[in-house]
Amino acid sequence: AIGGGKGGVGKSLVTANTSICLALMGYKVVTVDLDLGGANMHTCLGIPIPDKTLSDYISKKVSNIKDLLVPTPIKNLQIISGAQDDLGIANLKQMHKNKILSKLNELDADYVLLDLGAGTTFNTLDFFISADKGALVILPEPTSIENTYRFIKSVYHRRLKMIEDLLDIQPLINQAMNSKISSAQSTPVDLIRRVIDINPTMGMKLQAEIAKFRPKIIMNQVRGQNDIDIGFSIQSVCKRYFGIDIDYVGYLDYDPAVWQSVKKRKPLLMEFPDSKLVNNFDKIVHKLIEMD
């Protein structure tokens, strides 16, 4: 899953071009546009709006999610388009969300990439949590960094709230998750220590669940070493405050070719094969594959 704390950070760019990299390496890839309020992955991959989208599946006009698969100009890469015309689809019911998630596992693909909407709606958080890997795209700007911490905190909190074994300590979890990042009191790291003191067995369960949460981060539009180093700073803060290990899988250089490819409605890697972003994406994708 590819997410981010705010809009405009490059989630669709990263999803589209990561998909292309994997497909060119010979993997069967399906990219699913789950930005349900503003689906545009088809444009990033250079194809017209598909006739059938997730709206048709949810409204039962289409019974099999495999019927939504649309080929792209890139061999091995197919797309399932997000909703185009249903104004209410951005607020999915839990049953529809569960249905989509269960059926995605049945797709004939080596990799399924989820392009998520911005922000911290339950839909976005649940799609992020459901993935084997979740990556966050970040710009080296205060607003993006701030919203990234908010997103991580929201995903972290939602994961812990969904675990029945931790029901007895939910008041402690809520207290810790509602603390400010600048505060040294009742942080998530402090929460683990307190739970271990109160109930060692429960504390070990909590610690095990937290260890499973290991999001990836990608810095986008970097213009120098200071921008690259922001990724390491975010790693450090998340370890100190949340007690979680974050994988910094790479960065993307700033390149004006990006907006040119968007204007042309052509995939960046195909339209500008000499862009330095090709090398950036190659490194990121190989690092993600190694983590399998």
Side-chain angles (χ1 to χ4, degrees), residues 196-214:
I196 288 174
D197 287 343
I198 297 166
N199 184 330
T201 305
M202 188 71 76
M204 296 307 288
K205 282 182 183 175
L206 177 63
Q207 217 162 16
E209 284 301 330
I210 289 169
K212 291 178 193 172
F213 181 46
R214 191 163 182 149

PDB file of all heavy atoms in Angstrom, residues 196-214:
ATOM      1  N   ILE A 196       3.879  -3.593  30.815  1.00  0.00           N
ATOM      2  CA  ILE A 196       4.739  -4.690  31.284  1.00  0.00           C
ATOM      3  C   ILE A 196       4.783  -4.715  32.818  1.00  0.00           C
ATOM      4  O   ILE A 196       4.754  -5.781  33.438  1.00  0.00           O
ATOM      5  CB  ILE A 196       6.161  -4.567  30.688  1.00  0.00           C
ATOM      6  CG1 ILE A 196       6.125  -4.929  29.196  1.00  0.00           C
ATOM      7  CG2 ILE A 196       7.157  -5.458  31.424  1.00  0.00           C
ATOM      8  CD1 ILE A 196       7.427  -4.709  28.456  1.00  0.00           C
ATOM      9  N   ASP A 197       4.816  -3.529  33.431  1.00  0.00           N
ATOM     10  CA  ASP A 197       4.813  -3.443  34.898  1.00  0.00           C
ATOM     11  C   ASP A 197       3.509  -3.977  35.487  1.00  0.00           C
ATOM     12  O   ASP A 197       3.499  -4.688  36.493  1.00  0.00           O
ATOM     13  CB  ASP A 197       5.009  -1.984  35.349  1.00  0.00           C
ATOM     14  CG  ASP A 197       6.449  -1.516  35.139  1.00  0.00           C
ATOM     15  OD1 ASP A 197       7.331  -2.384  34.960  1.00  0.00           O
ATOM     16  OD2 ASP A 197       6.674  -0.291  35.133  1.00  0.00           O
ATOM     17  N   ILE A 198       2.383  -3.616  34.822  1.00  0.00           N
ATOM     18  CA  ILE A 198       1.059  -4.009  35.335  1.00  0.00           C
ATOM     19  C   ILE A 198       0.770  -5.480  35.047  1.00  0.00           C
ATOM     20  O   ILE A 198       0.279  -6.230  35.887  1.00  0.00           O
ATOM     21  CB  ILE A 198      -0.048  -3.130  34.706  1.00  0.00           C
ATOM     22  CG1 ILE A 198       0.143  -1.654  35.102  1.00  0.00           C
ATOM     23  CG2 ILE A 198      -1.448  -3.595  35.125  1.00  0.00           C
ATOM     24  CD1 ILE A 198      -0.685  -0.682  34.272  1.00  0.00           C
ATOM     25  N   ASN A 199       1.037  -5.890  33.796  1.00  0.00           N
ATOM     26  CA  ASN A 199       0.688  -7.238  33.356  1.00  0.00           C
ATOM     27  C   ASN A 199       1.737  -7.704  32.336  1.00  0.00           C
ATOM     28  O   ASN A 199       1.629  -7.409  31.142  1.00  0.00           O
ATOM     29  CB  ASN A 199      -0.714  -7.232  32.726  1.00  0.00           C
ATOM     30  CG  ASN A 199      -1.186  -8.622  32.320  1.00  0.00           C
ATOM     31  OD1 ASN A 199      -0.395  -9.485  31.986  1.00  0.00           O
ATOM     32  ND2 ASN A 199      -2.502  -8.820  32.334  1.00  0.00           N
ATOM     33  N   PRO A 200       2.784  -8.413  32.787  1.00  0.00           N
ATOM     34  CA  PRO A 200       3.875  -8.806  31.887  1.00  0.00           C
ATOM     35  C   PRO A 200       3.414  -9.576  30.651  1.00  0.00           C
ATOM     36  O   PRO A 200       3.936  -9.355  29.556  1.00  0.00           O
ATOM     37  CB  PRO A 200       4.757  -9.691  32.776  1.00  0.00           C
ATOM     38  CG  PRO A 200       4.479  -9.218  34.171  1.00  0.00           C
ATOM     39  CD  PRO A 200       3.032  -8.824  34.183  1.00  0.00           C
ATOM     40  N   THR A 201       2.423 -10.467  30.803  1.00  0.00           N
ATOM     41  CA  THR A 201       1.934 -11.239  29.657  1.00  0.00           C
ATOM     42  C   THR A 201       1.315 -10.327  28.608  1.00  0.00           C
ATOM     43  O   THR A 201       1.584 -10.439  27.406  1.00  0.00           O
ATOM     44  CB  THR A 201       0.888 -12.286  30.113  1.00  0.00           C
ATOM     45  OG1 THR A 201       1.463 -13.089  31.137  1.00  0.00           O
ATOM     46  CG2 THR A 201       0.461 -13.166  28.953  1.00  0.00           C
ATOM     47  N   MET A 202       0.458  -9.401  29.082  1.00  0.00           N
ATOM     48  CA  MET A 202      -0.180  -8.443  28.182  1.00  0.00           C
ATOM     49  C   MET A 202       0.876  -7.532  27.550  1.00  0.00           C
ATOM     50  O   MET A 202       0.787  -7.180  26.369  1.00  0.00           O
ATOM     51  CB  MET A 202      -1.194  -7.602  28.959  1.00  0.00           C
ATOM     52  CG  MET A 202      -2.052  -6.694  28.095  1.00  0.00           C
ATOM     53  SD  MET A 202      -3.247  -7.599  27.100  1.00  0.00           S
ATOM     54  CE  MET A 202      -4.478  -8.003  28.336  1.00  0.00           C
ATOM     55  N   GLY A 203       1.878  -7.174  28.339  1.00  0.00           N
ATOM     56  CA  GLY A 203       2.954  -6.320  27.838  1.00  0.00           C
ATOM     57  C   GLY A 203       3.713  -6.972  26.704  1.00  0.00           C
ATOM     58  O   GLY A 203       4.069  -6.319  25.720  1.00  0.00           O
ATOM     59  N   MET A 204       3.947  -8.291  26.817  1.00  0.00           N
ATOM     60  CA  MET A 204       4.651  -9.012  25.758  1.00  0.00           C
ATOM     61  C   MET A 204       3.808  -9.083  24.485  1.00  0.00           C
ATOM     62  O   MET A 204       4.334  -8.975  23.372  1.00  0.00           O
ATOM     63  CB  MET A 204       5.004 -10.432  26.227  1.00  0.00           C
ATOM     64  CG  MET A 204       5.988 -10.474  27.399  1.00  0.00           C
ATOM     65  SD  MET A 204       7.511  -9.525  27.079  1.00  0.00           S
ATOM     66  CE  MET A 204       8.306 -10.592  25.896  1.00  0.00           C
ATOM     67  N   LYS A 205       2.481  -9.237  24.655  1.00  0.00           N
ATOM     68  CA  LYS A 205       1.581  -9.250  23.484  1.00  0.00           C
ATOM     69  C   LYS A 205       1.622  -7.898  22.776  1.00  0.00           C
ATOM     70  O   LYS A 205       1.681  -7.822  21.548  1.00  0.00           O
ATOM     71  CB  LYS A 205       0.140  -9.558  23.926  1.00  0.00           C
ATOM     72  CG  LYS A 205      -0.125 -11.019  24.214  1.00  0.00           C
ATOM     73  CD  LYS A 205      -1.580 -11.229  24.600  1.00  0.00           C
ATOM     74  CE  LYS A 205      -1.842 -12.686  24.959  1.00  0.00           C
ATOM     75  NZ  LYS A 205      -3.218 -12.891  25.449  1.00  0.00           N
ATOM     76  N   LEU A 206       1.574  -6.839  23.580  1.00  0.00           N
ATOM     77  CA  LEU A 206       1.612  -5.481  23.030  1.00  0.00           C
ATOM     78  C   LEU A 206       2.920  -5.252  22.285  1.00  0.00           C
ATOM     79  O   LEU A 206       2.936  -4.725  21.162  1.00  0.00           O
ATOM     80  CB  LEU A 206       1.448  -4.457  24.153  1.00  0.00           C
ATOM     81  CG  LEU A 206       1.530  -2.982  23.757  1.00  0.00           C
ATOM     82  CD1 LEU A 206       0.412  -2.610  22.804  1.00  0.00           C
ATOM     83  CD2 LEU A 206       1.469  -2.084  24.997  1.00  0.00           C
ATOM     84  N   GLN A 207       4.006  -5.679  22.890  1.00  0.00           N
ATOM     85  CA  GLN A 207       5.327  -5.502  22.279  1.00  0.00           C
ATOM     86  C   GLN A 207       5.418  -6.265  20.953  1.00  0.00           C
ATOM     87  O   GLN A 207       5.972  -5.764  19.969  1.00  0.00           O
ATOM     88  CB  GLN A 207       6.403  -6.010  23.239  1.00  0.00           C
ATOM     89  CG  GLN A 207       7.663  -5.179  23.221  1.00  0.00           C
ATOM     90  CD  GLN A 207       8.524  -5.417  24.468  1.00  0.00           C
ATOM     91  OE1 GLN A 207       8.345  -6.388  25.191  1.00  0.00           O
ATOM     92  NE2 GLN A 207       9.455  -4.519  24.711  1.00  0.00           N
ATOM     93  N   ALA A 208       4.839  -7.468  20.932  1.00  0.00           N
ATOM     94  CA  ALA A 208       4.872  -8.295  19.715  1.00  0.00           C
ATOM     95  C   ALA A 208       4.085  -7.632  18.588  1.00  0.00           C
ATOM     96  O   ALA A 208       4.506  -7.633  17.425  1.00  0.00           O
ATOM     97  CB  ALA A 208       4.306  -9.683  20.014  1.00  0.00           C
ATOM     98  N   GLU A 209       2.930  -7.047  18.934  1.00  0.00           N
ATOM     99  CA  GLU A 209       2.109  -6.380  17.914  1.00  0.00           C
ATOM    100  C   GLU A 209       2.806  -5.139  17.372  1.00  0.00           C
ATOM    101  O   GLU A 209       2.762  -4.859  16.176  1.00  0.00           O
ATOM    102  CB  GLU A 209       0.738  -5.998  18.505  1.00  0.00           C
ATOM    103  CG  GLU A 209      -0.211  -7.156  18.661  1.00  0.00           C
ATOM    104  CD  GLU A 209      -0.521  -7.862  17.347  1.00  0.00           C
ATOM    105  OE1 GLU A 209      -0.503  -7.209  16.284  1.00  0.00           O
ATOM    106  OE2 GLU A 209      -0.762  -9.078  17.374  1.00  0.00           O
ATOM    107  N   ILE A 210       3.442  -4.402  18.253  1.00  0.00           N
ATOM    108  CA  ILE A 210       4.144  -3.188  17.832  1.00  0.00           C
ATOM    109  C   ILE A 210       5.323  -3.543  16.916  1.00  0.00           C
ATOM    110  O   ILE A 210       5.591  -2.851  15.935  1.00  0.00           O
ATOM    111  CB  ILE A 210       4.608  -2.376  19.062  1.00  0.00           C
ATOM    112  CG1 ILE A 210       3.377  -1.741  19.740  1.00  0.00           C
ATOM    113  CG2 ILE A 210       5.610  -1.302  18.688  1.00  0.00           C
ATOM    114  CD1 ILE A 210       3.634  -1.143  21.094  1.00  0.00           C
ATOM    115  N   ALA A 211       5.992  -4.653  17.214  1.00  0.00           N
ATOM    116  CA  ALA A 211       7.139  -5.075  16.396  1.00  0.00           C
ATOM    117  C   ALA A 211       6.718  -5.428  14.968  1.00  0.00           C
ATOM    118  O   ALA A 211       7.510  -5.321  14.029  1.00  0.00           O
ATOM    119  CB  ALA A 211       7.831  -6.267  17.055  1.00  0.00           C
ATOM    120  N   LYS A 212       5.454  -5.847  14.802  1.00  0.00           N
ATOM    121  CA  LYS A 212       4.948  -6.205  13.462  1.00  0.00           C
ATOM    122  C   LYS A 212       4.723  -4.967  12.593  1.00  0.00           C
ATOM    123  O   LYS A 212       4.640  -5.072  11.379  1.00  0.00           O
ATOM    124  CB  LYS A 212       3.613  -6.960  13.583  1.00  0.00           C
ATOM    125  CG  LYS A 212       3.712  -8.351  14.170  1.00  0.00           C
ATOM    126  CD  LYS A 212       2.313  -8.932  14.263  1.00  0.00           C
ATOM    127  CE  LYS A 212       2.263 -10.189  15.113  1.00  0.00           C
ATOM    128  NZ  LYS A 212       0.867 -10.625  15.331  1.00  0.00           N
ATOM    129  N   PHE A 213       4.555  -3.825  13.241  1.00  0.00           N
ATOM    130  CA  PHE A 213       4.244  -2.588  12.508  1.00  0.00           C
ATOM    131  C   PHE A 213       5.544  -1.919  12.089  1.00  0.00           C
ATOM    132  O   PHE A 213       6.241  -1.323  12.899  1.00  0.00           O
ATOM    133  CB  PHE A 213       3.402  -1.668  13.401  1.00  0.00           C
ATOM    134  CG  PHE A 213       3.010  -0.373  12.740  1.00  0.00           C
ATOM    135  CD1 PHE A 213       2.516  -0.357  11.448  1.00  0.00           C
ATOM    136  CD2 PHE A 213       3.134   0.836  13.405  1.00  0.00           C
ATOM    137  CE1 PHE A 213       2.153   0.833  10.831  1.00  0.00           C
ATOM    138  CE2 PHE A 213       2.772   2.035  12.805  1.00  0.00           C
ATOM    139  CZ  PHE A 213       2.291   2.025  11.517  1.00  0.00           C
ATOM    140  N   ARG A 214       5.870  -2.036  10.817  1.00  0.00           N
ATOM    141  CA  ARG A 214       7.148  -1.511  10.330  1.00  0.00           C
ATOM    142  C   ARG A 214       6.932  -0.816   8.977  1.00  0.00           C
ATOM    143  O   ARG A 214       7.283  -1.354   7.920  1.00  0.00           O
ATOM    144  CB  ARG A 214       8.147  -2.655  10.204  1.00  0.00           C
ATOM    145  CG  ARG A 214       9.560  -2.179   9.975  1.00  0.00           C
ATOM    146  CD  ARG A 214      10.578  -3.253  10.261  1.00  0.00           C
ATOM    147  NE  ARG A 214      11.918  -2.732  10.069  1.00  0.00           N
ATOM    148  CZ  ARG A 214      12.974  -3.134  10.743  1.00  0.00           C
ATOM    149  NH1 ARG A 214      12.847  -4.064  11.667  1.00  0.00           N
ATOM    150  NH2 ARG A 214      14.165  -2.612  10.502  1.00  0.00           N
TER     151      ARG A 214
END
